[in-house]
Amino acid sequence: MVLRVDGLEVRYGKLHALRGASLSVAPGETVGVIGETGSGKSTLARAVLGLVPASAGQIVVDGTDVTGLNTRQWRAFRRRGVVQYVFQDPLRSLDPDLTIASSLTEPLRIQGVSFAEAASRARELLKRVSLGPELLDRLPGELSGGQRQRVAVARALIVEPRLVLLDEPVSALDSSNRVRVLELLKQLRDAGTSLLFISHDLGSVAGVADRVAVLYRGEIVEQGPVRDVISRPTHPYTKLLVGSAPTLRSAAADRAARASLRALLTSEGAVS
Ligand SMILES: Nc1ncnc2c1ncn2[C@@H]1O[C@H](COP(=O)(O)OP(=O)(O)O)[C@@H](O)[C@H]1O
Ligand SMILES: [Mg+2]
């Protein structure tokens, strides 16, 4: 497993933000985490990045138990680039004072990669997210929101991480940029990158994730293959989510109808 979260509890003072959440991400797998605002999604991401401490449970990233790491150990672990992240607001994932070139090359430079090598990787990665090299000398503030988010994805990928955490990566984008970034995430998934894709929007996650976990008030109340969760939700909150996304439901219903028609035709074929 690239990520294993077991019985994770996180408290902010008296508030119990996560109450025993468990989930895992296998190599090459894309797992979606959906839940309403305040359900603990970002807390989960922060805990995996070592930005908030766990009060109980265990987090294992690519074989390393990171649950009890101190600040110094976390810094060393982060530098290895095993986990990278993309947040909702690219201005939080990118330093506003660094050019795109510096933002992209920094994680490699920290690892001791030469300037020339890092610069050539930066160009490569920009191309991979469908952006041109003319952006290299610009500042994040000079890019559109969609371009910035694609740069944030490129920066996350440049160190070839084992896992990329994406917390609401398309929520701040307009619909055309949202579609483009979702397409990019699908490409990453197909190329075998392990993704943990957090979103309040089932529709965004459904097209990209292999499996989905539903977070409700700090607990994972349901998880499974996307198709199963959409066509046969078991928890009342998931039913509500699926019910309020009619296009998803009808797509699942269409699939089910086609499958039963196929079964019917095949059995008739067998009779004649
Ligand atoms: N730094 C914090 N201090 C106190 N409470 C927090 C903090 N961050 C989040 N919370 C609370 O924890 C709960 C979960 O928040 P969060 O993980 O951000 O949820 P989500 O990302 O699903 O919207 C919410 O009730 C939120 O108000
Ligand atoms: Mg959040």
Side-chain angles (χ1 to χ4, degrees), residues 2 25-31 128 156-157 160-164 166 185-196 210:
V2 172
V25 182
E29 191 180 32
T30 291
V31 175
R128 187 147 168 220
L157 293 175
E160 298 177 1
R162 295 282 290 153
L163 175 71
V164 181
L166 305 125
L185 298 183
K186 279 187 215 170
Q187 281 171 24
L188 300 183
R189 176 202 61 192
D190 294 343
T193 311
S194 307
L195 308 175
L196 188 71
D210 302 304

Side-chain angles (χ1 to χ4, degrees), residues 56-137:
Q58 196 187 34
I59 304 170
V60 180
V61 181
D62 198 30
T64 304
D65 184 343
V66 296
T67 327
L69 297 189
N70 63 32
T71 315
R72 191 175 47 80
Q73 291 166 322
W74 258 114
R75 207 174 302 133
F77 182 72
R78 273 195 215 102
R79 202 173 304 142
R80 282 173 48 201
V82 178
V83 194
Q84 295 293 305
Y85 56 85
V86 175
F87 293 131
Q88 172 169 353
D89 177 4
L91 290 177
R92 276 189 61 211
S93 325
L94 299 173
D95 185 331
D97 299 325
L98 289 185
T99 62
I100 301 308
S102 305
S103 264
L104 289 174
T105 51
E106 189 191 38
L108 289 173
R109 299 287 289 148
I110 289 172
Q111 292 184 345
V113 173
S114 76
F115 182 79
E117 167 76 20
S120 114
R121 288 277 294 148
R123 280 166 186 278
E124 225 173 85
L125 261 301
L126 268 191
K127 204 163 158 191
R128 187 147 168 220
V129 299
S130 313
L131 295 174
E134 71 280 2
L135 299 187
L136 284 167
D137 297 328

